[in-house]
Amino acid sequence: MKTDRLSVIVWNEYQHERENPAVRAIYPEGLHQCIADGLRDTPSALPGARPLTLGTATLDEPEHGLSEERLEACDVLVWWGHKAHAKVDDAVVERVQRHVLAGMGLVVLHSGHFSKIFRRLLGTNCSLKWREAAEKERLWVVEPSHPIAAGLPEHFELANEEMYGERFDVPTPESTVFISWFEGGEVFRSGLCWQRGHGRLFYFQPGHETYPTYYDPNVRRVLANAVQWAAPRVRIADRCPRVEPLETLSVKAGTFGSAGIVQRAEDLQ
Ligand code: ZN
C-alpha cells in the first residue's frame, strides 16, 4: 500500500532442510529462498502486476522474523510450515492475524494447512487425507478467469507430489481456482481463496519438501499471480467505537426505564 512495489515476505520454518540431507539436496538454501527466487524470476501474467520487494523470515529468528515493524511494511506474507507448527509463538500468530484482518495478504502453502495461523483464520480443523508416495498430480484450472489462473494452461502435472485428498475440512471457499487429481485416485481442492476482514487468503496445496515442486514453472506462475491477487486494497485496523448520530435524534426519556436505551421519538408513537 505504501509504494508502487509490493513487499512480500516468504516465511519458512526451515527445519527439514537442516535435518534431512535429501531435502537439503533439493533446497540447499531452504524452501523460503527457492520460493523467493521463483517470485523474483517469474513475472506474473497479470496486467498491471507490481514489481516485488522480496524478503524472507524463519522460525529461529527473533519473533520468527515477523516483528510488528516488518509486518507493518509487509503487503503479502507467504507461509510454509510443517513439523514446527506448535513452536510458532501465539503472540506472533495473533500479530499476523491482526495484520491479515487489516488488509495484509496471506498465501499458505502445502502443509501450512495445519499451521496455527491458517486454522485460526478459518476456524475449522483444516484436516485432510494424505499419503507420501511420489504420485503424479494433475492440477485442473477450474476458474480460468480468476487472476491466480492468469497465463496457466487448462491443466498441468507434477511428476511427484504428496497426495492430499478430500475431505479438506475448511469453510466453503469464496473461489476454487484449482482441483487436483492424484495417481492413486483421490481428488483435492488444491487452490482456494477466502477473505478475512480486509485481507485476502490463498491456500495452494503442492509443495512437499522432498520434491522439487517450487522449481516448477507453472507452480512459480501460480505463486507470482497469487501475491499480486492477495495485495492489500486497504489497510484498516477495525475497532468498535461508540459513535455520535449523524442526524439529530429526539428522545423520550424514561420510556425504557433507566437502562440508557434511547429510541427515535417517531418509533414510539
Ligand atoms: Zn508434505
Side-chain angles (χ1 to χ4, degrees), residues 9 12 34 44 55 62 68 104 112 128 130 139 141 143 159 163 166 173 179 188 195 212 217 223 231 233 236 244 269:
I9 297 175
N12 174 20
C34 181
S44 167
E68 180 63 31
M104 184 181 77
L128 44 77
W130 65 277
L139 293 99
V141 174
E143 210 61 75
M163 188 283 293
E166 297 284 347
I179 293 177
F188 191 73
Q195 176 148 342
L223 298 184
R233 271 64 185 169
I236 299 171
E244 295 302 322
Q269 289 163 359

Side-chain angles (χ1 to χ4, degrees), residues 38-82:
L39 289 170
R40 186 194 61 222
D41 297 342
T42 310
S44 167
L46 285 169
R50 292 157 65 186
L52 306 184
T53 298
L54 286 159
T56 63
T58 57
L59 181 73
D60 289 348
E61 294 171 39
E63 301 181 76
H64 310 322
L66 300 174
S67 65
E68 180 63 31
E69 293 68 30
R70 278 201 87 187
L71 287 179
E72 182 70 36
C74 175
D75 293 311
V76 181
L77 178 63
V78 179
W79 192 278
W80 197 100
H82 178 222

Side-chain angles (χ1 to χ4, degrees), residues 250-258 261-263 268:
S250 307
V251 176
K252 270 190 178 175
T255 304
F256 295 99
S258 58
I261 297 170
V262 295
Q263 182 141 353
L268 300 175

Side-chain angles (χ1 to χ4, degrees), residues 164-241:
Y164 274 14
E166 297 284 347
R167 184 177 180 263
F168 188 16
D169 183 36
V170 289
T172 302
E174 288 148 32
S175 299
T176 300
V177 186
F178 301 99
I179 293 177
S180 288
W181 168 89
F182 292 86
E183 209 172 340
E186 288 86 356
V187 295
F188 191 73
R189 291 168 292 167
S190 49
L192 304 175
C193 302
W194 296 268
Q195 176 148 342
R196 287 295 181 266
H198 304 292
R200 291 180 166 189
L201 169 58
F202 178 61
Y203 173 79
F204 190 53
Q205 170 268 328
H208 187 65
E209 67 274 5
T210 59
Y211 310 123
T213 298
Y214 293 117
Y215 294 94
D216 180 87
N218 288 311
V219 168
R220 288 187 160 194
R221 169 65 45 88
V222 170
L223 298 184
N225 291 342
V227 296
Q228 297 289 334
W229 172 82
R233 271 64 185 169
V234 296
R235 199 81 178 222
I236 299 171
D238 282 328
R239 306 192 195 289
C240 199

